[in-house]
Amino acid sequence: MPVVVEGYKELIQKLNAFEPDLNKQMKIEIKAAMLPIRDKARGYAPSPYPSYLYNWADKGRTNQNTIDGSRKFPLYNPAEVIAGINYRAGANKKSRYGFSALYSVVNTSAAGAIYETAGRKMGYRGQVWVGPKGQGKDVSHSRNPNAGAIFINSMGPLYGQGNQRGRLIFRAWNESQGKAQDAVIHAIEKAARRFNERATQSSFGLAA
């Protein structure tokens, strides 16, 4: 899903300094390529809740379930999940691999992130079960040893490959079959080409 374009940072600096109109047009075209991903991902958010996970639904009650004894496990509210899927322009925090996304569709709600990726790390069996009195993080403290598997399998399959699998944004991106990616790269390459053309024309003008 990430697209790495070498020289992009330098291109943006030059466009901002000398050809801001090209930068503006490029951003418009990139946004036009990314918004369909956002909209399609929003359409994959189940309503009122995934499958028969009735107890996960936000029904206006106080959630008594915790993740590690302190943090409340987020309840599923379809309106919040849908509103939390957004397009962002501008550098975000660097990942553990040192990359920072400049244009992205993000999932900002906790419940939406859970629905997006549940089962991706631990598989469809879920976390290791230790029970309510068990110790440790990233383990299941549920009274039901099969709770994790039931929870994850009620959400349906993950779409994509490896760590780029999901049920909302990753699914929409995977189903675009590279069209959004190609459109983004095309917009960047077009801006770079037009910048070089203008620079060449300017050089000829000065020489004349």
Side-chain angles (χ1 to χ4, degrees), residues 108-126:
T108 61
S109 73
I114 290 172
Y115 179 73
E116 175 84 78
T117 63
R120 190 168 71 182
K121 182 179 179 181
M122 299 292 184
Y124 285 97
R125 292 185 178 181

Side-chain angles (χ1 to χ4, degrees), residues 34-94:
M34 298 293 280
L35 286 184
I37 299 296
R38 180 204 66 182
D39 295 342
K40 195 170 187 179
R42 286 178 171 179
Y44 289 138
S47 182
Y49 46 84
S51 188
Y52 54 86
L53 295 175
Y54 176 80
N55 288 329
W56 191 31
D58 182 355
K59 299 182 284 292
R61 58 185 168 81
T62 301
N63 186 19
Q64 300 299 324
N65 298 319
T66 61
I67 299 175
D68 54 15
S70 59
R71 292 180 295 141
K72 297 294 183 182
F73 192 83
L75 294 174
Y76 185 89
N77 183 311
E80 290 181 1
V81 171
I82 291 170
I85 300 174
N86 296 305
Y87 167 72
R88 284 184 179 175
N92 59 11
K93 292 182 179 179
K94 288 186 177 181

Side-chain angles (χ1 to χ4, degrees), residues 7-24 26-27 102-103 188 191-192 195:
Y8 177 80
K9 183 177 180 180
E10 292 75 13
L11 171 63
I12 294 300
Q13 291 174 342
K14 291 179 180 178
L15 291 179
N16 285 332
F18 303 108
E19 305 290 352
D21 63 307
L22 293 182
N23 190 27
K24 181 179 179 180
M26 181 185 70
K27 289 181 178 179
L102 290 171
Y103 307 99
I188 295 171
F195 175 82

Side-chain angles (χ1 to χ4, degrees), residues 113-151:
I114 290 172
Y115 179 73
E116 175 84 78
T117 63
R120 190 168 71 182
K121 182 179 179 181
M122 299 292 184
Y124 285 97
R125 292 185 178 181
Q127 297 175 326
V128 175
W129 182 78
V130 297
K133 296 182 180 180
Q135 301 295 319
K137 294 184 177 181
D138 295 328
V139 292
S140 173
H141 297 279
S142 173
R143 292 183 179 85
N144 182 352
N146 297 315
I150 294 171
F151 183 75

